[in-house]
Amino acid sequence: MTDTPASWGGWAPAVREDPAGHFAQARARCPVQRVRLADGHLAWVVLGYDAARQALGDPRISKDMLAALAADGEVVAEGLPGPSFSRHMLNVDPPDHTRLRRLVSRAFVPGRIAALEPAIRALASGLLAACGDVNRNVTCAAHPLQSELHAQVHAYAARISDLLLPKTRAYYEVWLEGEKITDKKEEEDPLYQDRYLPRKFKVGIAIPPNNEVDVLTNDLGLIAIIENNELKGFNIAIGGGLGATHGNADTYPRLATVIGFVSGDEQLFSTIYEIVTIQRDYGNRSDRKLARLKYTLDKYGVDWYKQELAKRTGFELEAARPYAFTDRKDYYGWQENHQGLWYYTPFIESGRVLDDEKVAIKSALFEIAETGKAHFRFTANQSLILADIRKKDKPAIDKILKKYKIIEHTEAASGIRKNSISCVALPTCPLALAEAQRYLPDLIGKIEPLLAGHGLGEENIIIRMTGCPNGCGRPYAAEIGFVGTAPGRYNLHLGGDHEGTRLNRIYKENLDEAAILKELDLLFWLYRKERITGEKFGDFALRQRWYKP
């Protein structure tokens, strides 16, 4: 062992190109060395299997970032991940390491890993260019309680996703070091060609009367038309999107416009495909803030768009069929479908799967997964469904849910809490100006007493929050929306409808928590006093003109 600190890190290019040789020379000099890192901190480097095994078994040595911080608060250099990102199975000491290793060890054996290979390959293929300027996702109503034809409608999501996948294999060449493709004909992509789209593209599929997917917030929305228990086709809606920029009036949220109806798979897929090609050819490529389909539609107009679509498909859309949305919610608790299978939707606040002092969601879901008796199905509202549970297996799943207090937790949640969603915001999102996911649950806890005080505790008002104006938490499609402007400050939006067919508007700007609660207390008092029987809060807010001109 040497006590004289040697420099470690910040190596010259030659060393970076051959790190193995550099490590071998260092190990030959001494397997345990005290070094000074490139950021100036002192550390120990242990080289070689025998020395590393001995060090890891020494109780005086810790891998835990929290333990290191307790000894020296300056141990984390600026810009490096702190304890929140470093505390995982490989970086904690027993007994935490032992407990976490026991959870995963049975899954990470050669046989199980080999069995997962086809699923991993399929997943990787489906996520190809998932954050690029292509179709990023297809969302669909998740719960079979929507309709006996749910499975039939749901299957279209996968088919549309496959239709809109990019064809190039450049991704594999870059990331998987695959052999270069010499025959460029194999890489030809008639949809995205050599330029992809001007900006991302999103598709949603809804099954009335529940608009749980917020179908009109997508670039392309499909609304299933079911008559006499038969799927007749889909209404087509285009031009939805919620992204905006503070201070830039050229950017704005917009709900999709229903432009017609289409039936039959051939015409449906042709319509979807050509809607994407129109955006490819006419979308704004000079300003990414104005590059979504909604701006293309508003620039050229609905009539032009329908004519261009008909020219490309060779047929005109039929007139839109009647439909109605009456709600926008997840089906919490136990539900049975028409085939006798059971489904349970637990309340997972802001989509955060964790164990805390109130409920052990993570442990419950892990134990349920181990049984193999339920599938996991995500919803568009930051929740999940324990799906396809056979009647004989339902008691076992119910026992686990009760063991970890999931049923109690779900039943105790208020209507506004179940209807609230938020984006991840700080500290994860670099675009965030304010908190959302970590803050909204606390704010809801202060809004609930206000509602109860006015006799409105049973109201299912839809409340949403984002940390910036980009709209990831869909705040503009809420009855009450909060859009972050600065740490601890939000624009308050009112007047969206309960069904997701009308956007809200700004009521007041840049409010802190005290001002938010003061405003809502007054508004709830007026709502209780002057509303029409059965009138939703968003409709009342619009009728009262609670928005800026």
Side-chain angles (χ1 to χ4, degrees):
M1 182 182 298
T2 176
D3 289 326
T4 304
S7 297
W8 192 265
W11 296 307
V15 175
R16 290 200 296 269
E17 290 176 5
D18 183 23
H22 180 75
F23 275 59
Q25 293 176 12
R27 185 170 60 250
R29 289 194 301 271
C30 184
V32 181
Q33 301 180 31
R34 196 169 188 228
V35 300
R36 186 174 297 279
L37 302 177
D39 63 11
H41 285 92
L42 292 172
W44 289 95
V45 170
V46 181
L47 302 165
Y49 176 82
D50 292 334
R53 185 175 180 84
Q54 184 178 352
L56 292 173
D58 193 322
R60 297 171 297 175
I61 298 177
S62 174
K63 297 182 295 177
D64 194 324
M65 180 67 76
L66 294 181
L69 284 170
D72 180 3
E74 300 298 321
V75 73
V76 180
E78 183 177 356
L80 293 178
S84 297
F85 293 95
S86 297
R87 189 173 172 79
H88 52 75
M89 184 182 75
L90 300 180
N91 277 3
V92 293
D93 301 320
D96 284 341
H97 173 80
T98 307
R99 175 179 58 83
L100 293 171
R101 185 182 181 198
R102 186 181 299 118
L103 286 175
V104 302
S105 60
R106 284 173 289 178
F108 286 89
V109 295
R112 286 201 173 187
I113 293 174
L116 285 173
E117 183 178 346
I120 293 172
R121 287 185 178 275
L123 183 63
S125 176
L127 293 176
L128 179 61
C131 290
D133 294 329
V134 296
N135 178 61
R136 289 196 181 179
N137 52 255
V138 182
T139 56
C140 183
H143 205 296
L145 194 66
Q146 297 279 83
S147 167
E148 292 186 7
L149 301 182
H150 174 267
Q152 181 182 350
V153 176
H154 196 270
Y156 279 98
R159 297 173 68 185
I160 293 169
S161 178
D162 290 341
L163 175 71
L164 303 182
L165 280 177
K167 304 300 187 293
T168 176
R169 290 188 58 83
Y171 172 90
Y172 299 101
E173 294 177 4
V174 172
W175 294 104
L176 302 183
E177 299 181 354
E179 294 182 7
K180 295 291 183 181
I181 298 175
T182 56
D183 184 1
K184 289 301 178 183
K185 288 186 178 296
E186 295 182 18
E187 280 207 305
E188 288 181 358
D189 191 334
L191 176 59
Y192 297 113
Q193 298 182 349
D194 60 352
R195 57 195 184 278
Y196 294 101
L197 300 179
R199 196 73 190 271
K200 62 186 177 183
F201 195 92
K202 297 184 178 182
V203 181
I205 306 174
I207 305 175
N210 191 358
N211 186 22
E212 62 162 292
V213 298
D214 267 323
V215 67
L216 299 179
T217 65
N218 293 277
D219 296 275
L220 169 60
L222 280 67
I223 302 167
I225 303 300
I226 298 174
E227 299 173 0
N228 299 319
N229 206 33
E230 179 183 352
L231 178 63
K232 297 295 185 179
F234 295 89
N235 279 351
I236 303 296
I238 59 172
L242 299 184
T245 301
H246 286 316
N248 185 347
D250 291 333
T251 66
Y252 47 83
R254 187 189 194 283
L255 291 183
T257 301
V258 177
I259 61 171
F261 170 84
V262 64
S263 62
D265 286 4
E266 183 177 350
Q267 290 198 349
L268 172 65
F269 290 120
S270 176
T271 298
I272 294 169
Y273 189 91
E274 297 302 348
I275 285 172
V276 176
T277 67
I278 293 173
Q279 177 61 6
R280 177 198 67 201
D281 296 339
Y282 287 94
N284 189 328
R285 292 183 181 270
S286 62
D287 187 345
R288 285 185 63 81
K289 291 185 181 297
L290 305 177
R292 294 290 294 273
L293 190 152
K294 60 182 177 180
Y295 300 113
T296 308
L297 183 62
D298 285 345
K299 177 181 178 179
Y300 291 97
V302 173
D303 289 339
W304 174 91
Y305 202 102
K306 292 170 68 174
Q307 291 171 8
E308 181 65 23
L309 180 60
K311 183 169 68 175
R312 295 185 180 216
T313 62
F315 59 87
E316 293 185 357
L317 297 177
E318 298 177 37
R321 300 284 181 91
Y323 71 95
F325 290 126
T326 60
D327 218 331
R328 191 169 33 147
K329 65 181 181 181
D330 284 338
Y331 298 100
Y332 289 101
W334 282 111
Q335 306 286 344
E336 184 181 14
N337 79 347
H338 64 287
Q339 296 174 320
L341 294 175
W342 286 88
Y343 299 77
Y344 187 87
T345 305
F347 172 57
I348 303 176
E349 192 153 25
S350 291
R352 302 187 72 191
V353 177
L354 46 76
D355 291 351
D356 59 22
E357 65 280 0
K358 295 181 291 186
V359 64
I361 296 174
K362 184 189 295 185
S363 295
L365 295 181
F366 181 82
E367 191 166 324
I368 289 170
E370 280 194 312
T371 69
K373 300 180 185 299
H375 295 138
F376 287 66
R377 182 178 294 179
F378 294 108
T379 79
N381 295 307
Q382 300 181 327
S383 195
L384 66 80
I385 303 167
L386 303 173
D388 308 321
I389 301 168
R390 293 176 295 182
K391 183 178 181 179
K392 69 174 185 176
D393 295 328
K394 181 173 178 279
I397 302 301
D398 194 67
K399 182 178 180 180
I400 296 172
L401 293 172
K402 290 177 178 176
K403 172 184 174 182
Y404 291 101
K405 300 183 179 180
I406 304 299
I407 293 178
E408 177 183 340
H409 171 71
T410 299
E411 292 178 349
S414 67
I416 63 164
R417 197 172 286 274
K418 287 177 177 176
N419 279 338
S420 67
I421 63 174
S422 58
C423 72
V424 65
L426 296 173
T428 305
C429 179
L431 301 178
L433 304 171
E435 294 278 359
Q437 184 188 70
R438 300 190 299 182
Y439 172 55
L440 183 59
D442 291 337
L443 183 62
I444 293 290
K446 296 173 182 178
I447 293 174
E448 287 169 328
L450 299 182
L451 286 167
H454 295 294
L456 301 171
E458 299 302 315
E459 291 295 316
N460 294 321
I461 299 172
I462 294 176
I463 301 177
R464 295 173 176 176
M465 174 180 284
T466 53
C468 81
N470 285 301
C472 296
R474 309 199 294 276
Y476 308 110
E479 294 180 275
I480 299 176
F482 298 104
V483 178
T485 58
R489 291 187 173 271
Y490 302 85
N491 288 344
L492 173 58
H493 293 242
L494 300 174
D497 67 349
H498 193 77
E499 298 78 23
T501 62
R502 182 181 68 237
L503 293 177
N504 55 33
R505 307 188 196 182
I506 290 181
Y507 173 63
K508 291 197 175 178
E509 298 179 274
N510 210 33
L511 302 180
D512 61 13
E513 181 181 281
I516 288 171
L517 295 175
K518 181 179 178 181
E519 292 291 341
L520 290 181
D521 193 26
L522 174 60
L523 298 179
F524 292 154
W525 176 76
L526 290 169
Y527 175 51
R528 178 71 176 85
K529 180 181 178 183
E530 299 181 10
R531 67 174 174 171
I532 301 170
T533 301
E535 188 174 28
K536 298 290 188 180
F537 181 79
D539 296 331
F540 179 77
L542 181 70
R543 185 164 63 85
Q544 296 295 317
R545 299 184 180 275
W546 288 346
Y547 51 82
K548 296 182 69 175

